[in-house]
Amino acid sequence: MNPKKIISLFIIILFSSTAFSQDKFTLSGTIMDANTNETLIGVNIVIPELKIGVTTNEYGFYSITLPQGTHVLQISSLGYQTIQESINLTQNNKKNFSLSSNETALKEVLITGSSSKTDIKRPEMSVNKLSISTIKKMPVVLGEVDVIKSLLLLPGVTNAGEGASGFNVRGGGADQNLILLDEATIFNSSHVFGFFSVFNPDAIKDLKLYKGGIPARYGGRASSVLDIYQKDGSSKGFHVNGGIGLISSRILAEGPLVKDKGSFLIGGRSSYAHLFLKLSEKQKDNAAYFYDLNTKLSYKLNPNNNLYLSGYFGRDVFALNKSFTNIYGNSTLNLRWNHLFSDKLFSNLSLIYSDYYYGLDLDFVGFKWDSGIKNYNIKYDFKNYISDKFKLNYGVNGIYYKFNPGTIKPTDDNSGINFDQLDKKYAFEPALYINADHDLSDKIAISYGIRYSLFYRLGQSTVNIYENNSPVTFNSDLKIYEKATPIGTEFYKKNKTIQSYDNFEPRFSLSYQLSENQSIKTSYNRMVQYLQLISNTSSPTPLDIWTPSDNFIKPQIADQVALGYFRNFKDGDYSLEVETYYKKVKNRLDYIDGANLIANRAIEQVILNGQLRSYGLELMFKKNEGKLNGWISYTLSKSEQQTPGRTNLESGINNGAWYSSAYDKLHNIAITAAYNLNEKWSFGGNFAMQSGQPVTYPDGRYEYLGITVPSYGLRNENRLPTYHHLDLSATLTPKKNLGRNWKGEWVFSVYNVYNRKNAASINFRQNADTGNNEAVKTSIFGIVPAVSYNFKF
């Protein structure tokens, strides 16, 4: 479809109204938390006798068109009491609802009306949603509640092991995940090289992980989308909550700016384990800590307009004897305007800034290294509730990127080191999309749409020119790839296009309801990723560099299909989800042997465009209600990469054969459970086990100048030992909390209960006595007990 036709279609939709029979009217409004006026995402509004319903959007808004007459609405959300209300609809009507949380409204341990049962009818699949209350019950290392670690208990999600940053979804790389915090991109989701995530759980309202069937409004990554929204803050009263742990503490305050109209939220978190180093004379000049800050302002101008200003700032700091200092972290800012054009047309305009910074100060060699990536994003989204059976989402956005691959500055004028700047890079990524949710019948619901994305690699830059446009050559005698020598350069002025791409990204999903309690679903989506992370490690590091697609580095194009069976048992007390998927990614970066990636001015000389494929079977069985709840998940999957020769004369990487990617985990099982014994005690437990990480071990050795040198075989044909651990926690809620404003709880946890020494890596070295090569296993954690105190008032 021509882009001009798509734009014309948007304009027609935006400025036209659809006529329906006069005996139908629209009920719309906002659903909020009764205690704080916090808007609630994903609340179900169902009219049982009509077998129709709708859910609130990211700002708590809903709209549904119903026949004239009296209807009973059933309103439910995870963690809140279900309410029913009768509405006599004789004209278009706006009505807001407030839900009371189970925590404050119920004293019984056995909670009802909090069902997280599987949605059978909606075509949405390959999506996992976790409540913050669920995440906080999970035992984690050092007692620190962690959003990213909780995702690893879901089917299809793994990581590279303990102390590894990022996460892998359905065999994809960590760089293929789009991570959003209040719509702003987070480029590094970890503190302390993967031990903790950057997300303060006290500040989070909602999170969703899309593993497939990804809606058309999302783009820019090839594997998954993690969409996280911060709380708005209470506009009813002032509240404070936080926690004190062994290595870090957190505090969050929220309250009204103008009662029932405006609110603020500010939260801070910091580790302090490094302070204990000051007690030692040998360690007093060393430091290792992180801190972050979450902020948000919300204001209701009138019933049709709301403003939001939210931000995040986080830093990690490492210092060693005043000679080595490493600082890195994210900064984001988002100004949003919600506008209601009518009771059927909701809009959101966002101005977003995101920055990832990496700094390295090496006093002992006399220079400072800075690198990072910034983006400026403007997006305008619309949701059009045309009828109870047909809804449209559409919008546009444009992102401008600034890449700094590296700046070297001398720290001392006498160091002899000169100022050096690797060429900064610039890019612009505009896109527009349209997506429809359509109930074709009582049994069939579909969601379909398309995203049209463009990408412009821009100057100011100097680009190398190579013979045959090939920056990598193949040495047919040695059977290896080598760097090509440029035959010239070309300078592109500021904002001049160096290379451009455009792609259509279709999306489709379908649900067929077999009965009231079971359905089958299928989906297809294409995702295009124009940014590439230059890293040849299995887990991203803060030093890894992001770079745009250009005339040598092509955008990754991912196609994924999925088929699933979904069923609820005993009125939603139990749920079963079974999915199978196949994903193929074109232009996945691969690296020639011996590639040097740090401070490389010509990165195109050490990379090749390969392909990735992954496929698997996912099962998840959930117990949703009662004193004991939780889930069991299992994934059987395969993830492989291939970089064949570009001509018949080239052997390709790994002789052109498919080989296990760094994210390949054949088996992955996770069990999580929470048990409420009584009002005072509750318990939690996690068990995780997954196949070992693919690695390449030496398969022989040879002597060179009296030194024993190991030789290596095919890539990733070996594995680390199987990874597994068991974690337990107990939460004590004192009875004196009842009737008091101050409420507290003690959380006792043990990570890795049976002291499993999981291998973070296995290295090989030459034994000084025997001269033989030997394997040395590195483990990070044994058994780790922890205690923390959480409070709120």
Side-chain angles (χ1 to χ4, degrees):
M1 184 183 293
N2 189 294
K4 293 182 178 179
K5 292 183 179 179
I6 298 178
I7 296 173
S8 300
L9 179 60
F10 277 23
I11 295 173
I12 292 171
I13 293 171
L14 182 58
F15 294 103
S16 66
S17 60
T18 306
F20 295 95
S21 57
Q22 296 302 308
D23 61 348
K24 287 192 174 184
F25 300 101
T26 299
L27 178 68
S28 62
T30 302
I31 299 182
M32 300 167 289
D33 185 298
N35 188 46
T36 63
N37 280 342
E38 182 88 31
T39 57
L40 300 177
I41 302 173
V43 177
N44 295 306
I45 303 98
V46 177
I47 297 84
E49 73 271 14
L50 298 179
K51 296 182 179 181
I52 61 173
V54 70
T55 60
T56 55
N57 69 4
E58 291 78 10
Y59 300 92
F61 178 78
Y62 76 94
S63 176
I64 187 167
T65 300
L66 302 169
Q68 179 179 345
T70 301
H71 304 283
V72 176
L73 275 64
Q74 182 175 294
I75 303 171
S76 62
S77 181
L78 179 63
Y80 290 87
Q81 279 189 300
T82 297
I83 64 173
Q84 288 189 349
E85 185 158 337
S86 180
I87 298 290
N88 185 19
L89 203 60
T90 59
Q91 60 182 1
N92 292 341
N93 189 7
K94 287 187 178 180
K95 186 168 180 59
N96 300 330
F97 294 95
S98 295
L99 299 183
S100 297
S101 69
N102 281 314
E103 179 183 359
T104 58
L106 299 180
K107 294 183 180 179
E108 296 82 1
V109 174
L110 183 59
I111 295 175
T112 60
S114 63
S115 175
S116 56
K117 66 180 181 181
T118 298
D119 191 324
I120 296 299
K121 188 168 185 179
R122 292 181 65 194
E124 183 179 77
M125 66 179 300
S126 306
V127 177
N128 292 113
K129 179 179 179 180
L130 291 177
S131 70
I132 294 302
S133 60
T134 299
I135 292 173
K136 287 184 175 181
K137 293 177 183 177
M138 296 178 177
V140 289
V141 64
L142 296 172
E144 293 299 306
V145 175
D146 195 306
V147 170
I148 300 298
K149 295 293 188 295
S150 68
L151 299 178
L152 302 178
L153 299 170
L154 299 172
V157 186
T158 63
N159 73 348
E162 289 171 329
S165 62
F167 58 97
N168 309 113
V169 177
R170 290 186 169 177
D175 62 301
Q176 294 178 322
N177 304 317
L178 176 63
I179 302 175
L180 302 173
L181 179 63
D182 275 352
E183 302 180 327
T185 303
I186 300 293
F187 287 97
N188 187 321
S189 62
S190 299
H191 281 310
V192 199
F193 299 99
F195 287 109
F196 312 104
S197 77
V198 301
F199 305 109
N200 183 344
D202 292 337
I204 294 174
K205 173 166 63 173
D206 183 84
L207 67 86
K208 267 187 178 181
L209 176 66
Y210 295 85
K211 300 179 295 186
I214 300 173
R217 68 179 181 274
Y218 298 109
R221 296 294 187 276
S223 190
S224 75
V225 177
L226 177 59
D227 197 5
I228 301 176
Y229 281 88
Q230 293 187 129
K231 293 179 180 177
D232 300 334
S234 172
S235 64
K236 275 197 167 184
F238 181 74
H239 303 282
V240 175
N241 64 285
I244 302 171
L246 292 178
I247 65 167
S248 73
S249 290
R250 65 190 192 277
I251 189 167
L252 182 140
E254 56 182 321
L257 294 171
V258 178
K259 193 170 179 62
D260 294 328
K261 291 193 67 175
S263 63
F264 75 89
L265 178 145
I266 181 167
R269 185 176 58 151
S270 178
S271 66
Y272 39 71
H274 68 289
L275 297 178
F276 297 106
L277 298 177
K278 306 298 182 183
L279 302 177
S280 169
E281 186 66 27
K282 292 182 179 180
Q283 303 292 334
K284 67 178 183 178
D285 293 326
N286 298 337
Y289 63 93
F290 70 87
Y291 60 90
D292 48 34
L293 178 70
N294 298 80
T295 60
K296 194 165 187 178
L297 298 175
S298 307
Y299 193 78
K300 186 175 184 179
L301 298 173
N302 55 49
N304 293 331
N305 293 277
N306 293 277
L307 288 178
Y308 303 88
L309 179 64
S310 61
Y312 168 82
F313 180 83
R315 286 293 184 266
D316 281 75
V317 179
F318 294 88
L320 184 62
N321 294 327
K322 295 183 178 180
S323 61
F324 170 94
T325 304
N326 182 202
I327 302 175
Y328 66 90
N330 301 275
S331 305
T332 69
L333 189 67
N334 185 5
L335 175 62
R336 283 171 287 170
W337 169 45
N338 287 174
H339 177 64
L340 195 61
F341 284 95
S342 70
D343 52 13
K344 292 184 178 181
L345 184 57
F346 179 93
S347 70
N348 178 70
L349 175 65
S350 297
L351 304 176
I352 307 166
Y353 167 78
S354 180
D355 174 27
Y356 175 69
Y357 167 80
Y358 181 86
L360 189 61
D361 195 340
L362 300 174
D363 277 352
F364 67 95
V365 292
F367 77 85
K368 180 180 180 181
W369 167 277
D370 290 334
S371 63
I373 176 174
K374 297 179 180 180
N375 74 41
Y376 307 85
N377 184 7
I378 180 171
K379 61 194 294 285
Y380 204 6
D381 299 301
F382 300 87
K383 186 157 189 175
N384 200 338
Y385 300 82
I386 293 177
S387 74
D388 60 308
K389 296 184 180 297
F390 190 74
K391 303 169 187 67
L392 279 178
N393 293 275
Y394 44 90
V396 296
N397 81 285
I399 308 175
Y400 182 75
Y401 297 97
K402 290 183 177 181
F403 303 84
N404 179 14
T407 304
I408 298 177
K409 301 176 184 178
T411 56
D412 185 345
D413 293 338
N414 299 320
S415 65
I417 297 176
N418 297 321
F419 176 88
D420 193 11
Q421 173 65 63
L422 275 67
D423 260 6
K424 292 185 177 180
K425 300 177 181 180
Y426 305 88
F428 179 55
E429 182 181 353
L432 62 164
Y433 74 90
I434 184 168
N435 199 94
D437 295 318
H438 194 177
D439 293 341
L440 296 180
S441 69
D442 290 342
K443 291 187 175 183
I444 301 175
I446 60 174
S447 177
Y448 51 94
I450 193 166
R451 181 181 183 89
Y452 180 61
S453 61
L454 303 99
F455 190 81
Y456 300 91
R457 166 76 163 89
L458 303 174
Q460 176 174 351
S461 289
T462 298
V463 177
N464 291 327
I465 300 173
Y466 299 92
E467 187 175 355
N468 299 322
N469 201 36
S470 179
V472 179
T473 61
F474 184 74
N475 188 319
S476 56
D477 295 328
L478 298 177
K479 303 295 183 182
I480 60 173
Y481 285 97
E482 299 175 330
K483 301 176 183 179
T485 302
I487 59 176
T489 61
E490 183 175 358
F491 178 75
Y492 289 82
K493 295 181 179 180
K494 187 174 182 179
N495 293 329
K496 184 177 180 181
T497 300
I498 298 174
Q499 181 70 38
S500 65
Y501 295 95
D502 68 295
N503 286 279
F504 284 100
E505 304 175 40
R507 318 286 171 87
F508 175 82
S509 58
L510 177 147
S511 172
Y512 179 75
Q513 195 168 351
L514 300 172
S515 69
E516 288 294 325
N517 295 315
Q518 58 182 331
S519 66
I520 55 173
K521 301 181 183 183
T522 186
S523 68
Y524 163 77
N525 64 253
R526 166 169 285 191
M527 303 285 287
V528 179
Q529 179 170 337
Y530 297 103
L531 303 190
Q532 319 295 342
L533 186 66
I534 303 302
S535 172
N536 59 359
T537 61
S538 59
S539 173
T541 71
L543 184 57
D544 295 336
I545 301 299
W546 289 90
T547 192
S549 296
D550 55 24
N551 42 339
F552 302 116
I553 302 175
K554 298 178 182 179
Q556 299 180 61
I557 302 176
D559 292 286
Q560 181 179 200
V561 293
L563 177 67
Y565 172 76
F566 303 83
R567 181 166 184 171
N568 290 316
F569 303 88
K570 291 189 176 181
D571 197 29
D573 288 355
Y574 301 88
S575 298
L576 174 67
E577 301 177 8
V578 182
E579 291 192 39
T580 182
Y581 66 89
Y582 179 84
K583 177 168 59 178
K584 191 167 186 178
V585 183
K586 300 177 183 177
N587 303 323
R588 180 62 176 167
L589 289 186
D590 209 344
Y591 302 90
I592 68 174
D593 293 330
N596 180 23
L597 305 182
I598 299 176
N600 192 330
R601 293 181 178 276
I603 198 69
E604 70 274 5
Q605 295 179 344
V606 295
I607 60 176
L608 294 169
N609 292 295
Q611 58 183 336
L612 176 77
R613 69 182 181 191
S614 62
Y615 44 91
L617 175 69
E618 299 173 355
L619 298 95
M620 188 174 189
F621 181 76
K622 298 187 294 181
K623 186 178 186 298
N624 302 315
E625 301 286 357
K627 286 188 175 184
L628 175 66
N629 52 69
W631 65 82
I632 300 173
S633 71
Y634 172 72
T635 307
L636 176 68
S637 63
K638 186 66 182 173
S639 175
E640 299 175 302
Q641 194 161 341
Q642 182 194 40
T643 306
R646 295 167 296 181
T647 67
N648 292 333
L649 299 177
E650 294 184 10
S651 61
I653 300 295
N654 211 59
N655 295 325
W658 288 96
Y659 65 93
S660 296
S661 74
Y663 338 108
D664 178 48
K665 303 290 178 67
L666 181 62
H667 300 286
N668 179 27
I669 185 169
I671 303 172
T672 184
Y675 180 72
N676 291 301
L677 178 63
N678 51 43
E679 293 180 6
K680 192 174 180 180
W681 285 99
S682 62
F683 302 91
N686 300 327
F687 174 75
M689 181 168 63
Q690 61 184 30
S691 299
Q693 192 81 11
V695 291
T696 305
Y697 291 155
D699 60 356
R701 61 180 183 174
Y702 59 91
E703 298 287 334
Y704 180 74
L705 298 178
I707 300 174
T708 301
V709 181
S711 61
Y712 292 85
L714 298 177
R715 290 192 183 184
N716 291 347
E717 63 176 351
N718 309 108
R719 287 186 182 272
L720 295 177
T722 300
Y723 171 91
H724 56 88
H725 61 87
L726 172 67
D727 317 319
L728 299 174
S729 69
T731 301
L732 170 62
T733 305
K735 288 185 177 180
K736 62 183 180 180
N737 279 352
L738 297 175
R740 297 179 59 188
N741 289 330
W742 179 283
K743 298 182 186 298
E745 65 178 18
W746 291 93
V747 181
F748 308 93
S749 64
V750 180
Y751 179 86
N752 195 9
V753 171
Y754 51 81
N755 200 29
R756 166 71 175 179
K757 300 293 186 181
N758 287 301
S761 64
I762 292 181
N763 298 309
F764 292 83
R765 67 186 182 190
Q766 186 175 4
N767 187 288
D769 297 325
T770 66
N772 296 326
N773 288 335
E774 61 183 9
V776 180
K777 181 176 76 171
T778 301
S779 298
I780 298 177
F781 290 121
I783 183 172
V784 183
V787 60
S788 59
Y789 178 73
N790 299 322
F791 61 88
K792 62 181 177 180
F793 59 88

